[in-house]
Amino acid sequence: MSQHIAKPRTTAVILAGGTGQRVGLSIPKQLLKIAGKAVIEHTLTTFEKADSIDDVIVLMTPGYVPDVEKIVARAGFRKVSRVIEGGSSRNETTERAIAALGEGLAEGEDLNVLFHDAVRPLLSRRVIDDCVGALDRYQAVDVAIPSADTIIVTRTHGEDGEFITEIPDRARLRRGQTPQAFRLSTIRRAYEVAAGDPNFQATDDCSVVLRYLPDVPIHVVAGDEYNMKVTQPVDVFIADKLFQLGTTAAPEQIGADDYRELLTGRTVVVFGGSYGIGKDIAELAESYGAHVYALGRSTTGTHVENPQEVDDALSRAYAETGRIDYVVNTAGVLRIGKLAETENAAIEEALKVNYLAPVQIARAAYKYLAETEGQLLLYTSSSYTRGRAEYSLYSSTKAAMVNLTQALSDEWAADGIRVNCVNPERTATPMRTKAFGDEPAHSLLTSETVARTSLDVLLSELTGHVIDVRQQDPTAGAVTASGFEQALATVLDRQDDVA
């Protein structure tokens, strides 16, 4: 009978020793906020959610360990076991990590370890899983992507400047990324050998293995174009835009019994609940035991653009049930036409219903959601990434919903309130039919599909996310699942969509 060999534990080491000088900051760049969260929080979130990672340690710039500990505590990262000070160089920081990882290990016990730059916040779980999987066969693993640029080798000749000395074959060139993954015993041995070299200096860990353990093959895992490193000022801008345009995969659907367990006794308030997506959310939540208040102009006479009516609706729900767990706003108006030809009344209606109403709903709901650590769910349109002619009011207010979501999720994080935004593809709703007339049914999402995903989002731990619901692949997000090229394709495709 063959003996089962236990798979070694896998630890992610987040290298966060940068100072932020190159991006013009007085704080370490990993603490810079992008899309409402510190860069390192985005990075830690990815590893927290990766099933192939057992635990995480952080090597932080000296003097800033408490800052990271606060982020870990606030975000509730369960996998982060230690935050310790890094060294004065990349090599010294790795050596400290190796020493920390070795503590408590039994003789002969080994670990898998992934070293990742904290300032690569757009890492995908696919890359993490591929690295961990490769360690089943190899002792050292790097992550790289093909070079799209021609690489030149130069030499400086005094005051005359640089001159090309070589142009390597681009087909063989790769751009290295992180994580870099190793068996702990392998990377430890490489550094032990390197310690005997008085000229030892390296900017990454695979080069240490390559130089000092030349007999150990280093396997290469395919990286991702969007796994960029935030180093220069322009990187901050690009990363922020990628987070803004990128979407999160919809949470996995759960069983009927789980829905019932999570919703029974909870209170759900739905503004825009007269028809379409809002009505379907209300009916679904009620079928699983929730107390539901479906509010709409045509059914309950609730005008979302009237702050007093919003306050009254929430007060009533709270008075009757003693709690409000979820507040959903699907109310909206779609007016198509050239701005210069649009009457003031139509402009005011669009701004009041599509923008001011969600703002007022958020303000009024805050105290109730803080009490239950609940969630506010807003809705955007697939046109939010780029405004289109004759949709200026609609597109701009829907873009505002994304920014409002990201801002409030950060602002309310300490109160335990989650804020998310659902981004449906073109959906069969009365509002759309009124604007566009009858369309082929197969070209549209059903409102029930969007409602089901909305319910999954409400019951998830997500916050600050834009969740795509698309016909082609309703479970995949643009940036988080399909790569940089797909993200661009999605953005271009959205230019022709209005949900």
Side-chain angles (χ1 to χ4, degrees):
M1 181 182 293
S2 61
Q3 186 176 4
H4 176 71
I5 300 176
K7 188 177 179 69
R9 289 180 59 81
T10 299
T11 298
V13 175
I14 308 303
L15 301 171
T19 61
Q21 292 180 350
R22 279 184 286 182
V23 291
L25 297 172
S26 59
I27 60 171
K29 55 193 174 183
Q30 54 271 25
L31 296 180
L32 174 71
K33 285 194 174 182
I34 291 178
K37 297 180 182 179
V39 171
I40 193 170
E41 184 173 349
H42 287 295
T43 303
L44 289 172
T45 297
T46 301
F47 283 97
E48 178 77 15
K49 293 180 177 179
D51 293 335
S52 55
I53 299 298
D54 296 302
D55 60 296
V56 179
I57 67 171
V58 180
L59 278 292
M60 185 57 187
T61 305
Y64 290 92
V65 166
D67 297 83
V68 177
E69 289 176 335
K70 289 178 183 176
I71 290 172
V72 170
R74 185 180 68 242
F77 293 133
R78 294 185 293 272
K79 290 184 180 179
V80 179
S81 58
R82 299 179 66 181
V83 182
I84 58 181
E85 284 196 350
S88 58
S89 66
R90 169 65 179 263
N91 302 146
E92 185 182 344
T93 297
T94 298
E95 288 172 339
R96 290 190 180 189
I98 291 171
L101 291 168
E103 295 174 3
L105 284 183
E107 185 176 353
E109 185 180 0
D110 211 349
L111 287 176
N112 290 338
V113 54
L114 274 65
F115 293 98
H116 184 68
D117 297 325
V119 289
R120 292 186 186 271
L122 287 158
L123 175 68
S124 72
R125 278 180 269 173
R126 191 273 302 168
V127 172
I128 295 174
D129 293 342
D130 285 354
C131 286
V132 176
L135 287 175
D136 289 341
R137 183 174 179 183
Y138 304 99
Q139 300 176 49
V141 178
D142 203 355
V143 172
I145 59 174
S147 175
D149 299 315
T150 296
I151 305 299
I152 61 174
V153 180
T154 67
R155 179 175 295 175
T156 301
H157 291 273
E159 296 181 357
D160 292 332
E162 289 184 300
F163 295 84
I164 294 176
T165 60
E166 183 183 356
I167 302 178
D169 179 8
R170 190 172 68 185
R172 297 184 59 198
L173 296 178
R174 299 290 183 270
R175 290 161 49 199
Q177 300 181 333
T178 63
Q180 293 184 331
F182 308 91
R183 304 277 178 84
L184 177 60
S185 57
T186 299
I187 191 66
R188 180 195 287 131
R189 184 157 49 94
Y191 270 88
E192 288 171 352
V193 176
D197 182 354
N199 299 315
F200 168 57
Q201 186 175 2
T203 57
D204 74 297
D205 299 308
C206 279
S207 64
V208 180
V209 174
L210 182 67
R211 181 172 181 180
Y212 297 103
L213 298 180
D215 293 334
V216 174
I218 303 173
H219 181 68
V220 178
V221 161
D224 282 311
E225 194 72 48
Y226 58 86
N227 184 18
M228 61 179 291
K229 188 175 183 180
V230 179
T231 302
Q232 304 294 339
V234 69
D235 300 331
V236 176
F237 174 79
I238 293 171
D240 194 66
K241 285 300 178 185
L242 285 174
F243 271 112
Q244 181 188 38
L245 299 180
T247 55
T248 299
E252 292 184 8
Q253 291 188 358
I254 57 180
D257 290 341
D258 295 317
Y259 282 122
R260 195 165 289 107
E261 179 181 350
L262 293 170
L263 284 169
T264 296
R266 302 295 191 269
T267 299
V268 183
V269 179
V270 182
F271 292 97
S274 296
Y275 56 79
I277 297 168
K279 181 174 183 289
D280 290 334
I281 291 172
E283 291 178 350
L284 265 177
E286 193 168 42
S287 73
Y288 292 120
H291 302 296
V292 178
Y293 292 79
L295 307 162
R297 181 177 303 186
S298 60
T299 51
T300 62
T302 305
H303 296 73
V304 292
E305 65 271 30
N306 186 321
Q308 188 59 55
E309 293 186 17
V310 169
D311 281 339
D312 290 346
L314 291 169
S315 296
R316 178 190 163 210
Y318 184 80
E320 293 180 356
T321 67
R323 61 187 300 140
I324 295 178
D325 300 273
Y326 307 108
V327 175
V328 180
N329 179 50
T330 65
V333 294
L334 173 58
R335 300 288 183 261
I336 303 171
K338 296 179 180 178
L339 183 62
E341 299 172 0
T342 304
E343 296 180 356
N344 286 337
I347 293 174
E348 289 181 9
E349 180 191 38
L351 294 177
K352 286 181 178 179
V353 175
N354 292 347
Y355 180 67
L356 289 179
V359 169
Q360 296 291 358
I361 289 169
R363 290 183 66 205
Y366 168 77
K367 63 181 179 181
Y368 303 112
L369 296 177
E371 189 175 297
T372 59
E373 295 190 349
Q375 181 175 163
L376 171 66
L377 186 62
L378 303 173
Y379 287 76
T380 186
S381 157
S382 49
S383 64
Y384 84 87
T385 58
R386 188 176 188 274
R388 292 177 55 202
E390 301 190 17
Y391 296 90
S392 57
L393 292 172
Y394 187 75
S395 295
S396 59
T397 54
K398 288 304 179 181
M401 289 305 97
V402 173
N403 284 277
L404 183 63
T405 295
Q406 293 168 340
L408 290 182
S409 69
D410 187 40
E411 189 174 319
W412 292 354
D415 300 301
I417 304 174
R418 288 160 289 127
V419 187
N420 289 296
C421 189
V422 169
N423 177 30
E425 195 181 31
R426 292 167 293 192
T427 306
T429 64
M431 183 180 76
R432 182 175 181 89
T433 301
K434 182 178 179 181
F436 298 102
D438 292 330
E439 300 172 281
H442 65 82
S443 69
L444 303 174
L445 280 170
T446 65
S447 59
E448 292 88 349
T449 298
V450 180
R452 175 70 67 174
T453 298
S454 299
L455 203 61
D456 293 332
V457 173
L458 286 175
L459 299 178
S460 75
E461 294 302 314
L462 294 174
T463 188
H465 289 273
V466 180
I467 296 91
D468 255 353
V469 188
R470 300 176 67 81
Q471 267 196 324
Q472 296 93 325
D473 186 1
T475 62
V479 169
T480 55
S482 306
F484 187 74
E485 294 83 356
Q486 181 60 38
L488 293 179
T490 300
V491 170
L492 293 173
D493 179 56
R494 287 177 184 165
Q495 295 175 22
D496 297 322
D497 290 350
V498 176

